[in-house]
Amino acid sequence: MKLFEAALLACSAFAASAAHAADPVAVYPSKPIKIIVPFSPGGPTDVYARLLGSKLQEKLGQPVVVENRAGGGAIIGTAAVARAPADGYTLLFTASTHVISVQLQKERQFDPVKSFAPVSTMLTYPFYLVVNNKLPVASVQELIAYGKANPGKLTYGSVGVGSGAHLMGEMFKSQAGIDALHVPYKGAAEFLQAVVAGQVDYVFDSPGSAQPLVNAGRVRGFAVTSPKRWPMVPNVPTMQESGLAGFEGALWLGLLAPAGTPDNIVQSLNTKVSEILRSSDVRTRIETGGFQVLSESPDAFRQRLVRDGQMWGEVIRRNHITAD
């Protein structure tokens, strides 16, 4: 009898083990994970994707490979993840462009919310209004007054049509009641040099990129678009302090999976990302770059996608902005 009971227990244990092994969620991850970045190498999204990937590899015990798949204003790489198997082995690390670019297309290849399972945000940062030294203004209100006194004379730069800097520039024009010509550039380095050289009068950039130029006296920093003053530039007022009530906007970087990815996998990844963002070395690296850590639950991230999509979509529609 004892021998029979022992055999029965052994069979039960084997069956449970086999069932566990057959459950892909229970053994996740059991193979390498790919993180697709829908931008070219070298930019902030790529840099922080690689930082997150290396830390996830340590925690998950499986290789995490970052692959750049740029093109189409982030559409190509993002669409590839939307079509990928919903098993947690193909992820997307992207920026706020995620809810912007698709709204500029006539035909959408994916829905920025419904086609994905949000995992977690990683960091956030506001825009920083910086102005050419030669422009005879010393504050946001003086810039607005100059624009009203010289209709059509002001120019502002961005990293391209439909970029966050472009949309923020359009928001500023609308709320300030001024007219200014948008001048798109191919990248951040070009449009920052444009404001330094006076080819454009002002730009909206990140504090991390613009503040070194402000410190060097090559441009002037007027305001940030965060609801409160930004830690990296505590002496710079917000746009709301500068007289534009309710004027704010921020960008983010975050991790998403294809829609339908099992909740257990999404929650497991969210827990690991949260642990990574609590580590002092990662936090220090993010803050040194002029950003702030932003660790959100999948539900909170989803709400952010919806909210940001509505906000930027309104700007796009009101100003008839398209990718063409």
Side-chain angles (χ1 to χ4, degrees), residues 72-258:
I75 295 294
I76 293 176
T78 304
V81 177
R83 295 190 298 265
D87 56 9
Y89 291 98
T90 302
L91 306 174
L92 175 71
F93 190 83
T94 190
S96 300
T97 312
H98 181 73
V99 294
I100 296 174
S101 294
V102 69
Q103 300 195 62
L104 302 173
Q105 308 294 320
K106 292 181 179 179
E107 296 183 5
R108 298 188 180 187
Q109 299 184 42
F110 56 84
D111 184 290
V113 180
K114 296 179 181 179
S115 300
F116 297 90
V119 175
S120 176
T121 41
M122 182 176 182
L123 59 86
T124 184
Y125 57 99
F127 293 94
Y128 186 15
L129 172 61
V130 295
V131 180
N132 172 259
N133 284 335
K134 296 178 181 178
L135 199 67
V137 297
S139 67
V140 172
Q141 284 302 318
E142 288 188 14
L143 176 61
I144 293 172
Y146 181 88
K148 290 181 176 179
N150 299 273
K153 186 176 179 180
L154 285 174
T155 58
Y156 75 95
S158 82
V159 292
V161 173
S163 64
H166 177 202
L167 300 187
M168 186 55 63
E170 293 300 312
M171 284 178 63
F172 178 60
K173 284 170 52 180
S174 177
Q175 189 158 340
I178 62 174
D179 184 23
L181 175 66
H182 171 230
V183 183
Y185 290 86
K186 293 182 178 180
E190 291 87 348
F191 99 117
L192 276 177
Q193 287 306 310
V195 73
V196 170
Q199 296 170 1
V200 293
D201 295 311
Y202 63 91
V203 298
F204 285 92
D205 194 26
S206 69
S209 296
Q211 187 57 29
L213 294 175
V214 175
N215 291 340
R218 302 181 69 188
V219 292
R220 291 166 293 163
F222 278 8
V224 290
T225 63
S226 48
K228 297 180 180 180
R229 294 199 177 195
W230 199 245
M232 184 180 187
V233 286
N235 296 325
V236 176
T238 66
M239 293 292 281
Q240 297 188 61
E241 288 179 290
S242 302
L244 294 179
F247 190 100
E248 63 179 80
L251 299 182
W252 48 261
L253 302 183
L255 186 68
L256 301 97

